[in-house]
Amino acid sequence: MREVSDKPAAAVSSFTTGLRRWVDAVLYSSTLVAVAATCLTWATFLFWRVHIPGRLAGLIFAATLFLYNIDSVLPYKFRQQAVLSGRKLWMMQHRRELFALALVALAVATLLFWLDGWRHLMLFLGHLAAISLLYSFPVAKIHGRWRALRDFPLLKVFLIAYVWAAITVWVPALYLGKALTAPVVLLLFGRRFFFILALAFVFDIRDYTKDRLSGTRTFPGIFGVKAAKALALLCLLVSALLIPAGITPVHLLVLTIPIVLTGLIVWFADETRPDYYFALLADGVMVVQFLAVYWVV
């Protein structure tokens, strides 16, 4: 009888373990991040009542997957043993797979880049790629130590917000023939920039101890976690106030939901939170923003 009664429990345990492995793979391989980048780009297209072209969606997804995974396998990531989280442990155990995934994503992104004729924007897209790569690769030797862009004081959050806003707002604008200096494009860029900036502060809070040990001077490390949260909430307020013309009150209410959810994520952010808090909630709220725009349109 005991063997029979143990079977359902064993089945549930096996299912839970398998599910967690799949969730870990999706989150820690940056697949959700790539989905989020694609969704935010799609949301910008939807503002102009156009769906994102399939191959462009594939390009954004693959390029994001490459950049985040190539960053995750860099040697410096594995020298920070003092803050070995479950996420970091998973990445260490799957380092070869992440590197292979990055190479496949790079090949796909390169193919789609050439097929869709983006070569005339090589300089524009190139500077975004350069910032993304040099974010973690050494660019200057300071006091006998090579530093990446992320190591310069207070710079990393602005780099993240700029690249994400440029990719998810300016790329759709260029695809549709919009001028980057057009007021509506600048407004959408600002709204997206401050939204991503708020989320970047959340990840700085997650990396508070790691950044202090590695010598990276971030807002939480210099001014404290409470000050970083206050700045993140201020960024969300600015994002919420940048309202495109013609938005009805009901639609505005729906579009405010992701900002409110992000505010809650900021408010309760702490480096002691589980990895899923950041990898699932903080990244997932970007998909929620897309869903809000999709509902409005």
PDB file of all heavy atoms in Angstrom, residues 5 14 18 36 136 145 187 258 266:
ATOM      1  N   SER A   5       0.818   4.503  -2.564  1.00  0.00           N
ATOM      2  CA  SER A   5       0.583   5.877  -2.102  1.00  0.00           C
ATOM      3  C   SER A   5       1.741   6.799  -2.426  1.00  0.00           C
ATOM      4  O   SER A   5       1.579   8.010  -2.525  1.00  0.00           O
ATOM      5  CB  SER A   5       0.314   5.885  -0.592  1.00  0.00           C
ATOM      6  OG  SER A   5       1.456   5.420   0.112  1.00  0.00           O
ATOM      7  N   SER A  14       8.604  14.577  -9.626  1.00  0.00           N
ATOM      8  CA  SER A  14       9.286  14.501 -10.914  1.00  0.00           C
ATOM      9  C   SER A  14       8.824  15.612 -11.847  1.00  0.00           C
ATOM     10  O   SER A  14       9.635  16.246 -12.542  1.00  0.00           O
ATOM     11  CB  SER A  14       9.021  13.141 -11.554  1.00  0.00           C
ATOM     12  OG  SER A  14       9.610  13.066 -12.834  1.00  0.00           O
ATOM     13  N   GLY A  18      11.157  18.639 -13.280  1.00  0.00           N
ATOM     14  CA  GLY A  18      11.272  18.865 -14.722  1.00  0.00           C
ATOM     15  C   GLY A  18      10.841  20.257 -15.126  1.00  0.00           C
ATOM     16  O   GLY A  18      11.491  20.898 -15.958  1.00  0.00           O
ATOM     17  N   ALA A  36      11.280  39.602 -24.404  1.00  0.00           N
ATOM     18  CA  ALA A  36      10.887  40.934 -23.939  1.00  0.00           C
ATOM     19  C   ALA A  36      11.339  42.014 -24.917  1.00  0.00           C
ATOM     20  O   ALA A  36      10.586  42.948 -25.222  1.00  0.00           O
ATOM     21  CB  ALA A  36      11.464  41.196 -22.550  1.00  0.00           C
ATOM     22  N   SER A 136      30.773  44.885 -21.363  1.00  0.00           N
ATOM     23  CA  SER A 136      31.459  43.912 -20.503  1.00  0.00           C
ATOM     24  C   SER A 136      32.897  43.637 -20.917  1.00  0.00           C
ATOM     25  O   SER A 136      33.670  43.113 -20.128  1.00  0.00           O
ATOM     26  CB  SER A 136      30.683  42.584 -20.482  1.00  0.00           C
ATOM     27  OG  SER A 136      29.413  42.741 -19.890  1.00  0.00           O
ATOM     28  N   ARG A 145      44.387  48.289 -14.162  1.00  0.00           N
ATOM     29  CA  ARG A 145      43.346  47.281 -14.358  1.00  0.00           C
ATOM     30  C   ARG A 145      42.483  47.647 -15.555  1.00  0.00           C
ATOM     31  O   ARG A 145      42.059  48.785 -15.697  1.00  0.00           O
ATOM     32  CB  ARG A 145      42.474  47.194 -13.101  1.00  0.00           C
ATOM     33  CG  ARG A 145      41.311  46.222 -13.224  1.00  0.00           C
ATOM     34  CD  ARG A 145      40.430  46.281 -12.002  1.00  0.00           C
ATOM     35  NE  ARG A 145      39.196  45.537 -12.204  1.00  0.00           N
ATOM     36  CZ  ARG A 145      38.163  45.552 -11.368  1.00  0.00           C
ATOM     37  NH1 ARG A 145      38.216  46.268 -10.273  1.00  0.00           N
ATOM     38  NH2 ARG A 145      37.081  44.853 -11.631  1.00  0.00           N
ATOM     39  N   LEU A 187       9.266  61.365 -28.032  1.00  0.00           N
ATOM     40  CA  LEU A 187       8.430  61.102 -26.864  1.00  0.00           C
ATOM     41  C   LEU A 187       8.407  59.606 -26.540  1.00  0.00           C
ATOM     42  O   LEU A 187       8.552  59.220 -25.376  1.00  0.00           O
ATOM     43  CB  LEU A 187       7.016  61.624 -27.111  1.00  0.00           C
ATOM     44  CG  LEU A 187       6.040  61.520 -25.920  1.00  0.00           C
ATOM     45  CD1 LEU A 187       5.119  62.725 -25.880  1.00  0.00           C
ATOM     46  CD2 LEU A 187       5.214  60.238 -25.986  1.00  0.00           C
ATOM     47  N   PRO A 258       1.413  48.384 -16.423  1.00  0.00           N
ATOM     48  CA  PRO A 258       2.798  47.893 -16.332  1.00  0.00           C
ATOM     49  C   PRO A 258       3.701  48.804 -15.517  1.00  0.00           C
ATOM     50  O   PRO A 258       4.618  48.327 -14.834  1.00  0.00           O
ATOM     51  CB  PRO A 258       3.250  47.853 -17.801  1.00  0.00           C
ATOM     52  CG  PRO A 258       2.005  47.824 -18.589  1.00  0.00           C
ATOM     53  CD  PRO A 258       1.006  48.607 -17.817  1.00  0.00           C
ATOM     54  N   VAL A 266      10.074  47.531  -8.017  1.00  0.00           N
ATOM     55  CA  VAL A 266      11.130  48.411  -7.496  1.00  0.00           C
ATOM     56  C   VAL A 266      11.036  48.511  -5.966  1.00  0.00           C
ATOM     57  O   VAL A 266      12.029  48.379  -5.251  1.00  0.00           O
ATOM     58  CB  VAL A 266      11.028  49.816  -8.123  1.00  0.00           C
ATOM     59  CG1 VAL A 266      11.942  50.802  -7.387  1.00  0.00           C
ATOM     60  CG2 VAL A 266      11.369  49.771  -9.610  1.00  0.00           C
TER      61      VAL A 266
END
